[in-house]
């Protein structure tokens, strides 16, 4: 996995215990995964990406993976019951005891309500919810330019954050690949699914007084700083 930092100061890197769940909410390509990986590393907690978990199930050809594959390939959301079961099982693992970073979950109001219950059952504080606000016009370039390492999952962008050697991960030399749903024709339905099913969560959390927002159009280091500042003050 990645060893370099993304511009955090030594103070920011020794950030103390997280001890709560953080939820990253935002459209495809907003930078949730990039920030979630780094934040999880900083605090030594798991990065719970529902998309990565589903892709692992697809790679392992599990019953869940077989059900999710055609849905993800057309850019739709996987039905709530399948996702909720997967998340509940993951949250039971002991490594989640001191907090975790949710990336891409919850994605519907029903998922958010379920998460609330689940966290209560596990004795967690309320989650810190961070909305990645960004002009949709920027997303196409981020998504179609994204490449991921097959070995460690490191995220690159052929336009804005290319690897030193084209097609190879800087950290482990792994082959870089494009996600099937990052093809231009699948990006539009994904963005539509976001607007219809996930964007309402922004108001849901705002009404609860729990929404924090970052300007996700800024560079990676700047977004990291915004996230850490939110966590510092939300404690
Ligand atoms: P998922 O894997 O969750 O994808 P997503 O939400 O569509 O988000 P992405 O991973 O595409 O984007 P990101 O915000 O993480 O951006 P990243 O950091 O990679 O979901 C995939 C599918 O799984 C869904 O369509 C659905 O079918 C299913 N699914 C998953 N969860 C589900 C759920 N809860 N319920 C139902 N279905 C579910 O960055 C993108 C690019 O931008 C990269 O190239 C990166 O290098 C670059 N970049 C990042 N930050 C910056 C920056 N600040 N400046 C410039 N470039 C940047």
């Amino acid at each position: 996995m990645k060893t370099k930092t993304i511009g955090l100061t030594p103070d920011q890197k020794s950030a103390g215990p997280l001890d709560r769940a953080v939820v990253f909410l935002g459209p495809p390509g907003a930078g949730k995964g990039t920030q979630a990986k780094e934040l999880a590393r900083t605090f030594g907690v798991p990065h719970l990406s529902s998309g990565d978990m589903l892709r692992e199930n697809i790679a392992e050809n599990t019953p869940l993976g077989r059900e999710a594959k055609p849905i993800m390939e057309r850019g739709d959301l996987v039905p709530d019951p399948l996702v909720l079961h997967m998340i509940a099982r993951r949250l039971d693992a002991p490594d989640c005891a001191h907090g975790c970073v949710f990336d891409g979950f919850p994605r519907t109001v029903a998922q958010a309500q379920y998460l609330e219950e689940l966290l209560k059952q596990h004795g967690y504080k309320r989650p810190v919810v961070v909305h990645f606000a960004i002009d949709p016009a920027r997303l196409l370039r981020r998504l179609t330019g994204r490449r991921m390492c097959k070995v460690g999952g490191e995220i690159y962008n052929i336009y804005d954050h290319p690897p030193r050697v084209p097609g190879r991960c800087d950290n482990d030399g792994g082959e870089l690949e494009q996600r099937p749903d990052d093809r231009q024709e699948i990006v539009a339905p994904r963005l539509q699914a976001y607007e219809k099913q996930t964007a309402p969560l922004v108001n849901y959390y705002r009404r609860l007084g729990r929404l924090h927002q970052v300007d996700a159009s800024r560079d990676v280091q700047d977004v990291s700083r915004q996230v850490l500042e939110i966590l510092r003050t939300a404690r």
Side-chain angles (χ1 to χ4, degrees):
M1 291 294 279
K2 186 177 160 189
T3 50
K4 69 185 175 190
T5 68
I6 52 175
L8 303 179
T9 65
D11 271 2
Q12 287 170 327
K13 279 189 277 176
S14 57
L18 185 63
D19 276 336
R20 66 199 305 174
V22 178
V23 168
F24 282 170
L25 174 65
K32 306 179 298 294
T34 300
Q35 295 297 332
K37 275 182 200 301
E38 190 61 31
L39 190 69
R41 207 175 278 140
T42 300
F43 284 98
V45 298
H47 165 206
L48 305 188
S49 158
S50 44
D52 285 351
M53 289 182 215
L54 290 165
R55 282 184 286 277
E56 277 161 28
N57 275 277
I58 292 173
E60 288 163 13
N61 196 26
T62 65
L64 169 60
R66 285 196 291 278
E67 216 166 324
K69 187 170 189 271
I71 300 171
M72 291 170 72
E73 279 174 352
R74 51 174 197 267
D76 290 336
L77 292 194
V78 174
D80 285 344
L82 298 180
V83 174
L84 296 177
H85 181 66
M86 176 183 81
I87 293 288
R89 283 190 57 193
R90 181 63 186 88
L91 207 58
D92 276 342
D95 64 339
C96 294
H98 300 291
C100 60
V101 185
F102 284 105
D103 159 16
F105 178 88
R107 245 177 163 98
T108 62
V109 172
Q111 290 183 13
Q113 289 166 339
Y114 183 82
L115 177 64
E116 203 80 6
E117 280 308 308
L118 212 53
L119 293 176
K120 230 186 265 172
Q121 284 167 22
H122 283 76
Y124 270 89
K125 295 181 200 163
R126 287 184 161 162
V128 175
V129 181
V130 181
H131 172 220
F132 282 55
I134 186 165
D135 176 355
R138 289 178 182 258
L139 299 175
L140 188 62
R141 180 184 170 97
R142 287 197 183 181
L143 289 168
T144 57
R146 172 168 52 191
R147 298 293 182 274
M148 294 178 79
C149 175
K150 277 184 171 181
V151 179
E154 186 59 31
I155 303 170
Y156 295 88
N157 191 286
I158 55 170
Y159 306 118
D160 301 321
H161 174 45
R164 285 192 293 273
V165 177
R168 291 283 159 193
C169 178
D170 292 349
N171 292 343
D172 53 27
E175 191 186 335
L176 302 187
E177 63 179 355
Q178 184 175 35
R179 260 170 52 177
D181 60 349
D182 278 348
R183 284 176 290 123
Q184 195 155 348
E185 63 274 24
I186 311 299
V187 167
R190 284 171 64 200
L191 293 173
Q192 281 159 15
Y194 176 80
E195 282 308 321
K196 195 168 161 208
Q197 290 159 282
T198 308
L201 270 185
V202 173
N203 274 333
Y204 171 82
Y205 281 119
R206 187 175 284 131
R207 275 198 301 272
L208 292 176
R210 303 245 293 283
L211 192 77
H212 301 270
Q213 189 155 295
V214 293
D215 177 357
S217 64
R218 309 297 292 268
D219 66 33
V220 172
Q221 288 80 4
D222 190 287
V223 178
S224 280
R225 278 189 284 269
Q226 295 178 57
V227 169
L228 286 171
E229 183 56 19
I230 287 170
L231 290 180
R232 198 180 63 76
T233 53
R235 276 164 182 277

